[in-house]
Amino acid sequence: MTSRLTESVAVQPKVQRSVGLWTMLWNDKFAFVSFLFLVVMVFLAVFGPWLLEQPATKLNLRLRNAPPFSLDNGWLYFLGADALGRSMIARLIVASQNTLLVAASAVAVSLIIGGALGILAGYFNGRFSTVIMRFADIIMSFPSLLIAVVVLYIFEPKVANLVLVLSITRLPVYMRTARAEVLEIRERQFIAAAKTLGASHSRLITRHIAPLVVPTLTTIATLEFAFVMLAESSLSFLGIGIQPPEITWGLMVAQGRNYLQSAWWLSFFPGLMIMFSALALNLLSGWTRIALDPVQRWRLEITNQQAS
Amino acid sequence: MNKMKNIVGATLLALPLSLVFAEGKIVTVVLSEEPDVIDPCEASRSNIGRVVKQNIAETLIEIDPTDGSITPRLATEWEQVDELTWNFTLREGVMFHDGAEFNAETAVTAINRALNPTQDCEIRLKFFGNINVMPKAIDATTLEIKTDTPQPILPTLMGTMVIASPNTQAEKGTMNPVGTGPYQFVKWDAGQEIVLERFDGYWGDQPEAEGARFIWRTESAVRSAMVKTGEADIAPNIALQDATDENTDFSYFNSETSRLRIDMTQAPLDDLRIRKAMNYAIDRDALIGSLFSEDVVPMTQIVVPSINGHNTDLTPWPYDPAKAKELIAAAKADGVPVDNEIVVLGRIGMYPNATEVAEAMAAMLAEVGLNVKLSMIEVAEWIDIFTKPYAEDRGPVLQASQHDNNNGDAVFSVFFKYACEGPQSTMCDEEVDKGITAASAAVGDERREIWQQVFKRLHEEIVPDVQMFHMVGFSRVNPRINFTPSISTNSEVQIGQVTFK
Amino acid sequence: MRQFLARRIFHSLISLVGLLVLVFFLARLTGNPGDLYLPLDSSIETRQAFTEKHGYDDPAYIQFGRYVRDLLSGDMGESVRKKRPALEIVLEAIPVTLMLAASAMFLALVGAVIVGARAAYRPGGVFDRVASISSLVSASAPDFWIAITAIIVFSVHLQWLPTSGLGGPIYWIMPVCVLLIRPFGLLVQVVRSSMLTVLSAAYIKTARAKGVKEKSIVFVHALRNAMIPVITVAGDQAAAMANGAVIVETIFGWPGIGKLMIDSIVQRDFAVVQAAILVTAFVILSINIVVDLTYAVLDPRIRKRS
């Protein structure tokens, strides 16, 4: 559905502006469900820990690894219980706060810093660019595991430090993509035209170039969102990620993998949550990019002279 | 399209034929990690020991893991000549794999190599760190060992000393271990496998297995799967949750004892009532059969029952939260700062579900009203905090730790953990120190009784630990072979003991 | 072109030096290797003796000086744990990782181009929708979860494939599949969105109007122009893999560089960490150069300027 809408826009760039946003959202059922899902997730992430702290941390060895899809122990145990008999539902909801916080901040930090550096590197394609890109090379060839161990040894495995580790390691993606895009955009006629009209560097970058790079970067960012959640999970798997008493979905998957043969739900449900969030975000962002973004529309109509 | 299907079908059919199954009389053992080295002088490290010890290279004396008693291996008899001197009579007709003859002379070379300070051999660092050992060949079959301090249990200590060939390079580690054992080293494909084959010139009975292959996989689920599919014969160490098949999975006491070390210098942990309260707060029965195996035994002391000095008269702490709260209230009334934040410090990956265990312990302590915070840390930081010198501003810490003593005597545990000078001790008790000194110099029943007194005092009057369990390990054994894992499986896997069904 | 290449290589060498300095000093912030190497029960004196013997008590810059001196004479140091030259250990591990990464990347890229282009060819069609959703799912699946589940299903229950280990072609199936699943999902997304943008461009419309065959439009004209972002992302993924397919190597027992690196970092085996990073950085920098060259090949304007 999304895709159909997406493509009808792409192929015939006539958007019916008279149609309201809500109607457009309602018309695309995938996007609509994604939107609902994300709203609920954000709501739970904000208020969940406050409401469900107790059942998420209370030990109850009698219910250890209680199987899912049974209401015998109350609705909190509908998705079963973990190895310490804690409600899976409560833990999934409490964990959503850290998970979304880590992923969103890490993606935002690397998007902003990486994007900015990449745009500058592409625009001033000289010595400055070289320095920035070699910097990206260093980060890329630096094993993220070492950064993780260094940060977690010297500081603590806290949320903020995890964000630091994840955002540093993901910088090069944005830097390289932004630079590559800018290199291409610079060559377009309208930039040359703006230059001859005497536009300043900052005006060229912020008004003409950045708006064209941002859509690509946001596409990457939404894909990266899942990547960051999984990277965080992998760190937990290797024993250098976030540690209890803090919880994230990634940590739950990593801890639950020990029980894959006896209690699959321990790692399955948090894995599913990661997947659903990533899906919802990507579907919604695809829709947003086309339906809401005037820059993108303008781009689709105007830049027909150039391939991107 | 049809052609495609045929190709796929044919490939699928062909697959099972090309799998490597554990077949023939070769025993495949799947370890948890690749050994770093396979030098005989490092055989006290568990994954190295499982390859080398008693397979490739043997000890003079073997420690019976079930009761800590000692039996002959390369030495047949031993006697104490004077306080500082022991004589060992060596077995005759023993050859090294490289053709060298085993005698007193070559034994001296081997001992000197293992204790050579230019090498960081673990046997030296772990067992002979503070002892000066002077071996001497009296005649071909008599080995004299002098020490600078009295060593009443030197034979037990020699149970850790693995004898390598005299041709082994002396100053550097070897990649080619040569000993007198029933199997000789064939090759080590780094990252992939270590291969041994039966040594025809072995002095003892020829074992049934023609050779052995050691491989390694990090994940317990994979190791247990490999035995299930027939790709391996023995997985010496799998996690509790993977040990699901009664026919193939054996539990054994692995000589590890698990506890929370109480930092007795820090308020409120310096108060005996608080330390007792914490022991009353732990519901050990609820942990058994859930987070821990059905087979673990609540501990009363740091050494397992098979160790000389274990006191069987002590009773484990009962679960009594009411009593715990009472004790805490009493301490509070006396002005003890019971509200100080107590950190439960767990080590990531100490054993398969170490994190869940630490979470459960912290939750139980919080239940009786203590202000507990859980913190899981990485091994390097954990060691730094666990060993002296301690940081000044460390605050009250309960550090989850696990101690392994399968070397027959309590001396390998008590000094380190509880003496005033012990490198991991947080306590200082005159009577305990006296007991340690007296026991270390004594032998026989006297030695055992002194140790038992020390353990009684620690358990009842000092309470330096939140006591947990004597742990069990799990091995999975392929039904095609007979092999019974035991307490010694933690440090060796004697391929010579394997028979085929 | 040759000048571009020379400059690029020179700059990469500078990055390499920067990386080395960074790694050396950061690693030394993570504690004393002796604490981890020595048995827990060893005395304070033993610990001190070990530390002095290996020079861990010297200030970091003096250790660095020693390291550089040895490095210049071709010596990358010896592993504390394995007691062998660090470079030897690393060179044993790198081929496994490179073979694994190359096969996974090749299959992921080829697969993604086919699926992504096909999806973009009839946007909104059934194929497109299935491809979009399933590629997103595959891009967001925890790989270690998939790996262990695959072993349980395909090795234990169905007994089709060996659980793990290095060996003939069938030993490669599971590790390669697990390794490619995420890059594949990601690349399908990138190929598809990049193709859509290109297909709406004017010159494609012109080609269509001229009556050039649809298939050749998609697979020749459009694809070539859509490859730049694809190559960027693919390069990034390949670099990440060269740094070790840690999870796959750990679970399937493949003795690659990722497993070696994590073990050495955890055990503070600095010489191995440094040698491993040096070697992988070399590979990654080469990949980056190749990516830049590909840009130039794909886009004549960039070539001209370079």
Side-chain angles (χ1 to χ4, degrees), chain B residues 454-471:
Chain B
V454 170
F455 284 128
K456 186 174 160 67
R457 180 168 172 77
L458 285 169
H459 181 62
E460 289 169 0
E461 285 160 63
I462 298 178
V463 197
D465 305 304
V466 179
Q467 297 188 333
M468 292 163 70
F469 302 101
H470 297 310
M471 306 283 276

Side-chain angles (χ1 to χ4, degrees), chain B residues 48-60:
Chain B
I48 302 175
R50 284 173 178 143
V51 177
V52 173
K53 199 173 172 188
Q54 317 297 22
N55 289 329
I56 299 175
E58 298 171 287
T59 50
L60 292 179

Side-chain angles (χ1 to χ4, degrees), chain A residues 20-34:
Chain A
L21 277 185
W22 290 107
T23 323
M24 281 166 67
L25 189 59
W26 174 247
N27 284 340
D28 186 339
K29 293 295 181 296
F30 273 120
F32 182 73
V33 171
S34 304

Side-chain angles (χ1 to χ4, degrees), chain B residues 246-263:
Chain B
E246 274 178 28
N247 300 319
T248 55
D249 303 338
F250 297 85
S251 78
Y252 58 93
F253 283 104
N254 62 5
S255 77
E256 300 272 8
T257 302
S258 186
R259 59 174 183 142
L260 300 184
R261 183 188 73 176
I262 303 175
D263 189 336

Side-chain angles (χ1 to χ4, degrees), chain C residues 104 138 141-151 172-184 241 247-249 251-252:
Chain C
S138 96
D143 43 10
F144 58 85
W145 188 90
I146 295 190
I148 297 176
T149 309
I151 290 177
W172 289 65
I173 297 177
M174 276 203 290
V176 170
C177 288
V178 171
L179 194 57
L180 70 77
I181 199 160
R182 267 160 69 179
F184 172 73
M241 276 189 202
I247 305 269
V248 166
E249 290 170 13
I251 293 178
F252 292 105

Side-chain angles (χ1 to χ4, degrees), chain B residues 17 74 83 85 94 118 174 179 189 192 216 244 246 256 298 303 346-347 392 398 428 435 453:
Chain B
L17 300 176
L74 287 179
E83 217 184 17
T85 317
V94 176
T118 57
T174 179
D189 275 348
Q192 295 191 49
W216 35 86
T244 48
E246 274 178 28
E256 300 272 8
V303 296
R347 191 178 107 195
E392 282 294 329
L398 304 172
C428 188
Q453 285 311 307

Side-chain angles (χ1 to χ4, degrees), chain C residues 93-171:
Chain C
I94 194 95
V96 170
T97 298
L98 288 186
M99 285 191 305
L100 194 59
S103 1
M105 244 2 257
F106 175 75
L107 292 176
L109 194 57
V110 170
V113 167
I114 293 172
V115 173
R118 174 89 203 274
Y121 178 59
R122 263 194 225 301
V126 177
F127 185 87
D128 179 35
R129 271 188 269 164
V130 172
S132 296
I133 300 283
S134 54
S135 66
L136 274 175
V137 168
S138 96
S140 50
D143 43 10
F144 58 85
W145 188 90
I146 295 190
I148 297 176
T149 309
I151 290 177
I152 294 172
V153 172
F154 295 108
S155 305
V156 179
H157 291 300
L158 298 173
Q159 309 229 333
W160 286 356
L161 300 168
T163 56
S164 53
L166 259 178
I170 60 163
Y171 285 83

